[in-house]
Amino acid sequence: MKIAVLGAGAVGLCVAAKLSKVCDVYAVTRKRHTDIINDTGFVMTGIWGNETVVFPCSESLPAGERYDYIIITSKSTDTRAVCEQFKEYLKDTPVVSLQNGIGNEEIISEYTDTVLGGMIITGFEWVKDAAVLVSVEAAPIKIGVYPEGISDASAKLVEIFSKAGMNTVSESNIAGGIWGKALYNAALNPLSAILGIKYGELADANTWSIIEDIVKEAFAVCAKEGVRLEWATPEEYLKHLHSHQLPATKEHYSSMYQDLAARKRTEIDFINGSIVELAGKHGIPAPVNEVVVRLIKFRENQNKGSQVTADTKTRTA
């Protein structure tokens, strides 16, 4: 079994490290990581185990090679660029997205007929180049045919992930699972980034009231989009978020916080920005999500040192 991991940052390198124990894996990552991994190995610590793993990686894929699966773990903002760069490898190959946000699978579907959706809510934090701490896990990894169904290809990949030691299950309603993760990210990720705090501090009544509005607006969008969520009402999800997901990740700083600290572009357009875009499509309001998007874009502009438009509809750019 041969698997390629494209756009391998903290998530992709950890997944590749685990998969390397049970199959042939090849990771495409930045040169500063490849040089270290090919020399002394990738260092993974935390709840997925403490070990140093060597697996083949570079800034591109070997010419003419074919893979049984391709996993994309890049930032959502890079999905199209990754697909364009590796489109010859994607054709006729099952491709799974293990990314944040809404819209990645639709982009990938332009390059392959077999799109698998993936949902992963696990904390990955850079320690240094080629070294990642796996800090928290709020739910099992879920994989299924996008937007719904289970196939031999998806079931086999679940089996491989499980054999590699990752807690993974099949999900027939993977679109709903991806939106479930988007609810979690939309509620916590940008507020952690804007305020510079860990997730656990967002349980304060003042920030929680903002989270309630974010989630209610997202549920209204899901209803219009025909997305089947695990929770029947916003209140039901908010109870799950408050009692389970928030405590499980209370010590975690969001990926947006880390992106802003590193002066990188965030994935806001694919998370709260997608809620705003789809709300506009259906003619329903999403004012709280829109404010959150604009605040994150303000912070991005500060990092750039120049003013750019606060456009919430750049997900396919």
Side-chain angles (χ1 to χ4, degrees), residues 41 44 56 74 119 121 143 152 156 173 201 216 247 266 303:
M44 181 172 60
S74 69
M119 191 282 292
I121 305 184
I143 296 173
D152 290 343
K156 180 62 178 177
N173 178 27
E201 297 178 68
K216 288 174 183 177
T266 73
N303 282 343

Side-chain angles (χ1 to χ4, degrees), residues 117 265 281:
R265 184 183 176 190
K281 183 180 96 171

Side-chain angles (χ1 to χ4, degrees), residues 164-180:
M166 291 177 280
N167 183 16
T168 310
V169 298
S170 290
E171 175 57 68
S172 60
N173 178 27
I174 195 62
I178 291 167
W179 263 100

Side-chain angles (χ1 to χ4, degrees), residues 146-158:
Y146 188 83
E148 60 181 6
I150 295 172
S151 66
D152 290 343
S154 69
K156 180 62 178 177
L157 191 59
V158 169

Side-chain angles (χ1 to χ4, degrees), residues 115-175:
V115 181
L116 306 180
M119 191 282 292
I120 181 169
I121 305 184
T122 304
F124 301 89
E125 301 177 21
W126 288 110
V127 176
K128 58 183 179 179
D129 289 348
V132 174
L133 167 68
V134 186
S135 56
V136 293
E137 185 173 273
I141 298 170
K142 296 179 180 180
I143 296 173
V145 176
Y146 188 83
E148 60 181 6
I150 295 172
S151 66
D152 290 343
S154 69
K156 180 62 178 177
L157 191 59
V158 169
E159 180 183 332
I160 293 168
F161 269 57
S162 299
K163 187 177 179 181
M166 291 177 280
N167 183 16
T168 310
V169 298
S170 290
E171 175 57 68
S172 60
N173 178 27
I174 195 62

Side-chain angles (χ1 to χ4, degrees), residues 228-241:
R228 292 185 294 111
L229 292 166
E230 181 179 346
W231 308 275
T233 65
E235 291 74 21
E236 186 179 331
Y237 173 69
L238 286 162
K239 181 178 179 181
H240 174 71
L241 177 64

Side-chain angles (χ1 to χ4, degrees), residues 67-81:
Y67 297 91
D68 297 291
Y69 293 95
I70 290 177
I71 302 170
I72 297 179
T73 62
S74 69
K75 292 286 189 182
S76 298
T77 50
D78 296 326
T79 302
R80 186 170 296 281

Side-chain angles (χ1 to χ4, degrees), residues 177-217:
I178 291 167
W179 263 100
K181 180 183 178 180
L183 290 175
Y184 169 85
N185 271 322
L188 305 183
N189 211 323
L191 291 180
S192 168
I194 293 164
L195 299 172
I197 59 177
K198 297 178 180 179
Y199 281 165
E201 297 178 68
L202 294 172
D204 179 271
N206 294 288
T207 45
W208 190 255
S209 67
I210 299 171
I211 288 170
E212 288 176 331
D213 289 337
I214 289 170
V215 168
K216 288 174 183 177
E217 290 174 5

